[in-house]
Amino acid sequence: MLERYLPILQWLRVYNRSTFTSDLVAALIVTIMLIPQSLAYALLAGLPAEVGLYASILPLVAYAIFGTSRTLAVGPVAVVSLMTAAAVGNLALQGTAEYLAAATALAFISGGILILMGLMRLGILANFLSHPVISGFITASGIIIAASQLKHILGVDASGHNLLDILLALGSKLNQINLPTLVIGVTATAFLFWVRKQLKPMLINFGMGERLADIVAKAGPVLAVVATTVATWGLSLDEQGVKVVGTVPTGLPGLHLPSFDADLWQQLFVSALLISVVGFVESVSVAQTLAAKRRQRISPDQELIGLGASNVASAASGGFPVTGGFSRSVVNFDAGAETPAAGAFTAVGIAIATLVLTPLIFFLPKATLAATIIVAVLSLVDLSALKRTWNYSRSDFAAMLATIVLTLVEGVELGIIAGVGLSVLLYLYRTSKPHSAIVGRVPGTQHFRNVDRFDVETCKRVLTLRVDESLYFANARYLEDRIYDLVAKQPELEHLVLMCPAVNLIDASALESLEAINQRLQDSGVRFHLSEVKGPVMDKLKLTHFLDELTGEVFLSQYDAWQTLSKAEQVKAVATTS
């Protein structure tokens, strides 16, 4: 029980020098990558740059203790930072103490929600976020994030919580573009795109080892930070209107409790819930993918606790909501991390940077951090998924498109809520009209197939209807109407068999419909039979009076039903039509 809630006890007892070396090397690489990302994502959330560093220390230690993934790297991420800005921006002005207090409280509430869900083993709830909805949400969020950073690239003041507001604000400030800032921003963005695509192959062609080339390529943002910081300092570009990070407090964050204002918590709760679910889905999908590559496994319920503890730790150290990041986790995995200790070592590296390096980033242009964000989030934008989803499922396409459009037009919270709501409604619509087929026996076999697809044997006095969906309140009446319609068209019918190989559930509403069908068919002189009913479904039916009142029989297999009911009947072949 103790190891279940403290996974660190599982891997710590087999920890050795070789594992330590691998984790240390991975931590060094991730630290180099995480420093500029942490600063950038804090600014994206509307917070001082140092808060990004604070959110990258204790949360990593907490996840190392409570998390189950060996390679997941926890910290600030783009989508959660955007959601934080959207949630807190409605309550306080950026740059104020109230804004920071609200962001910290948001992390604490989110952490509490995640821990509670983990203790209640509710990791399965994340399955209600379908992949098309998540894909659409991340794509739209990536576009909004990239657009929101254009103000730093252009050197103007413009804000907005949706794409339309941002573009209108930018359009009204085009006459105020700061040329030095524009040069830095465009150059840094182009350089980072080039590093992401071209630097590693070029270094390998020059004879550098693949792993070392990969490390150098991943350090591209650091090179951009150093170069633009030196240029801004040397040329005094801050005096020409280039906005810089400015003074960053030196030292580790103090521990403190977040605000427990009831009104604030009430205003933040829905946003915290959405951040918790979205962050968990993003994190656990990355963790499962990486774990599968090493034939390892994670526990989704314990991951909820691990991420919850990370967010509580972030709140306690003055940070904002965090989750597992895709790019950092992949780098951590590729760098050879073997245990969550790599995250703890990364936290030590960030702590050292907070103590030593913060004076050096005074002249770091915000345009460089904006370029870092733009390059990172545009890799998440996948508009081609719309075409793929359209070709496969029109309903999933509708959910994805609605999520993208509403996120872009109305903001992140309404977009994700609408996407989830539409997914549930479309699921109810699809299952409200379950696929069903009249089936007959494939000649010479014990197999039964759709009469419209195969040459099968049927009997004019026996009709078998196979239903390919569980029966519940949304589709019970549809099944009734389907059966009544079939019986009305066949006056010679004496037996109707409901074949149930795909029925995993019959709820109370569906049970009432089956009772009504049984009574209606009895009044019509037709016996009602069931076949291939699954054990758990049969166990539930045995608790009712339905089986006692059933006019027909319950057959173990459809072949048994066929032999029993059609023994004296003449069979005929039905030609396929498709």
Side-chain angles (χ1 to χ4, degrees), residues 107-166:
F108 189 83
I109 299 169
S110 177
I113 292 173
L114 288 165
I115 291 174
L116 184 61
M117 289 175 63
L119 293 175
M120 297 176 65
R121 300 188 180 185
L122 296 179
I124 193 173
L125 291 180
N127 295 338
F128 286 100
L129 282 177
S130 67
H131 177 74
V133 169
I134 287 294
S135 177
F137 175 71
I138 291 178
T139 291
S141 298
I143 295 172
I144 291 178
I145 292 170
S148 71
Q149 296 307 296
L150 291 177
K151 64 181 180 181
H152 297 302
I153 301 293
L154 301 176
V156 300
D157 291 323
S159 61
H161 293 308
N162 59 61
L163 184 61
L164 183 60
D165 290 345
I166 293 171

Side-chain angles (χ1 to χ4, degrees), residues 161-310:
H161 293 308
N162 59 61
L163 184 61
L164 183 60
D165 290 345
I166 293 171
L167 294 179
L168 289 175
L170 287 172
S172 66
K173 298 295 181 65
L174 290 180
N175 60 336
Q176 301 176 16
I177 292 176
N178 181 271
L179 187 58
T181 301
L182 180 63
V183 171
I184 290 175
V186 172
T187 302
T189 304
F191 171 75
L192 291 175
F193 272 119
W194 176 79
V195 165
R196 180 178 286 261
K197 298 291 185 181
Q198 304 296 330
L199 183 57
K200 180 179 177 180
M202 186 186 74
L203 294 175
I204 293 175
N205 289 336
F206 284 153
M208 184 179 289
E210 182 173 354
R211 185 171 183 182
L212 181 58
D214 187 61
I215 294 173
V216 174
K218 292 294 190 299
V222 177
L223 299 177
V225 165
V226 172
T228 56
T229 301
V230 171
T232 302
W233 168 72
L235 300 175
S236 299
L237 296 179
D238 57 317
E239 298 177 1
Q240 301 179 39
V242 174
K243 294 182 179 180
V244 297
V245 171
T247 302
V248 176
T250 300
L252 297 176
L255 298 179
H256 62 276
L257 293 175
S259 172
F260 287 95
D261 182 88
D263 291 336
L264 178 63
W265 279 46
Q266 184 178 2
Q267 291 174 303
L268 291 175
F269 182 80
V270 174
S271 297
L273 178 62
L274 293 175
I275 287 174
S276 299
V277 175
V278 171
F280 170 66
V281 171
E282 179 180 354
S283 178
V284 80
S285 62
V286 174
Q288 288 176 332
T289 299
L290 297 179
K293 292 183 177 181
R294 293 183 179 175
R295 297 192 178 185
Q296 297 169 348
R297 63 179 298 274
I298 67 167
S299 168
D301 292 328
Q302 183 60 31
E303 281 298 290
L304 283 166
I305 296 176
L307 293 174
S310 297

